[in-house]
């Protein structure tokens, strides 16, 4: 085999390893969340950790690659909800789609509450989603269908509550999910049964959800 043939074989091997790593990471993140280490991912992919880190130098790089398509879908779903002629239908449909995504992937909620380097596409899509969700909330409130004291941070409260149900109920999570979402949507509907306590600030909300690393900077665990 000549040099060109050797190069092609090396590239093919590298691509196989990359696909194996991504498939393994998707599986283990969906099943266990993002607490797993790079070493565990490498073991699950049946490659050495140095091989994994040559392709994905940091955990953030790997997580971003694994979840980029789902975050695009999430942002697109928010845009579709915002475009719905019926503001309440758009809001409730979006909540239902989020619940379905959580049912299939435990890592999904964690990714939505992370920040990535601004140069990464996943961060741009995550911010796009947040902007559209805020607009969707304001639109439903203006229509008088969503209670006036609902804030964007309440969407995170919904995600975390639902994630707890998914984690706790296993194979029958779908039944519990449908009932919880129905209860929450009734609670969110205007005018609301009564006043709510003041919501936590954005910073307090994120600190309650994110693992802190290197002081106040959140980083994806390595």
């Amino acid at each position: 085999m000549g040099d060109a043939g050797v190069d092609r074989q090396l590239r093919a091997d590298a691509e196989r390893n990359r696909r194996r790593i991504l498939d393994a990471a998707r599986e283990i993140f969906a099943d266990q969340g993002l607490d797993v280490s790079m070493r565990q991912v490498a073991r699950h992919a049946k490659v050495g950790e140095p091989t994994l880190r040559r392709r994905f130098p940091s955990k953030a790089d790997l997580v971003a690659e694994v979840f980029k398509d789902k975050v695009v879908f999430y942002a697109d779903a928010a845009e579709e909800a915002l475009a719905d002629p019926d503001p309440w239908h758009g809001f409730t449909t979006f909540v239902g789609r989020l619940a379905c995504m959580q049912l299939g992937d435990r890592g999904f909620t964690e990714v939505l509450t992370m920040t990535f380097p601004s140069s990464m596409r996943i961060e741009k899509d995550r911010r796009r989603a947040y902007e559209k969700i805020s607009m969707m909330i304001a639109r439903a409130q203006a229509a008088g269908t969503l209670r006036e004291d609902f804030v964007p941070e309440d969407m995170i409260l919904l995600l975390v509550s639902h994630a707890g149900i998914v984690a706790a109920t296993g194979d029958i999570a779908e039944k519990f999910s449908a009932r919880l979402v129905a209860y929450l949507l009734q609670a969110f509907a205007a005018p609301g049964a009564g006043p709510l306590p003041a919501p936590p600030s954005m910073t307090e909300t994120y600190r309650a959800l994110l693992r802190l690393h290197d002081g106040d900077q959140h980083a994806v665990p390595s």
Side-chain angles (χ1 to χ4, degrees), residues 22-36 44 66-67 70 101-111 166-167:
L22 289 174
D23 288 345
R26 287 188 186 99
E27 183 177 325
I28 199 169
F29 289 157
D31 184 55
Q32 300 182 33
L34 302 185
D35 283 341
V36 295
H44 196 63
V66 167
F67 285 96
K70 286 195 172 183
M101 292 182 76
Q102 280 189 302
L103 281 169
D105 195 327
R106 287 187 62 181
F108 175 67
T109 303
E110 296 175 69
V111 168
V166 173

Side-chain angles (χ1 to χ4, degrees), residues 61-220:
D61 292 317
L62 178 60
V63 169
E65 185 65 21
V66 167
F67 285 96
K68 65 179 183 180
D69 291 342
K70 286 195 172 183
V71 175
V72 168
F73 178 85
Y74 166 66
D76 288 347
E79 290 194 344
E80 290 173 19
L82 186 60
D84 193 310
D86 182 335
W88 180 247
H89 182 264
F91 178 84
T92 58
T93 300
F94 179 72
V95 169
R97 294 177 82 174
L98 283 187
C100 286
M101 292 182 76
Q102 280 189 302
L103 281 169
D105 195 327
R106 287 187 62 181
F108 175 67
T109 303
E110 296 175 69
V111 168
L112 296 186
T113 57
M114 287 177 178
T115 57
F116 295 84
S118 58
S119 59
M120 284 188 174
R121 174 62 190 271
I122 193 172
E123 179 63 13
K124 294 175 183 176
D125 283 315
R126 195 185 65 83
R127 291 182 181 183
R128 174 167 66 97
Y130 182 81
E131 176 186 350
K132 300 304 179 184
I133 288 168
S134 297
M135 294 170 66
M136 175 181 63
I137 290 168
R139 181 169 172 259
Q141 288 171 331
T145 53
L146 178 65
R147 56 187 302 158
E148 293 182 358
D149 49 3
F150 188 94
V151 294
E153 288 72 29
D154 288 330
M155 194 67 76
I156 298 174
L157 177 64
L158 183 156
L159 285 168
V160 174
S161 301
H162 186 260
I165 289 292
V166 173
T169 55
D171 293 342
I172 55 173
E174 190 171 348
K175 290 185 177 181
F176 284 89
S177 166
R179 193 163 177 85
L180 175 66
V181 169
Y183 271 130
L184 291 175
L185 288 176
Q186 289 180 34
F188 297 158
L196 296 173
S201 68
M202 174 86 66
T203 299
E204 289 169 331
T205 300
Y206 274 79
R207 284 182 176 173
L209 296 172
L210 304 176
R211 298 171 189 81
L212 299 182
H213 180 71
D214 293 336
D216 290 332
Q217 295 287 328
H218 174 65
V220 183

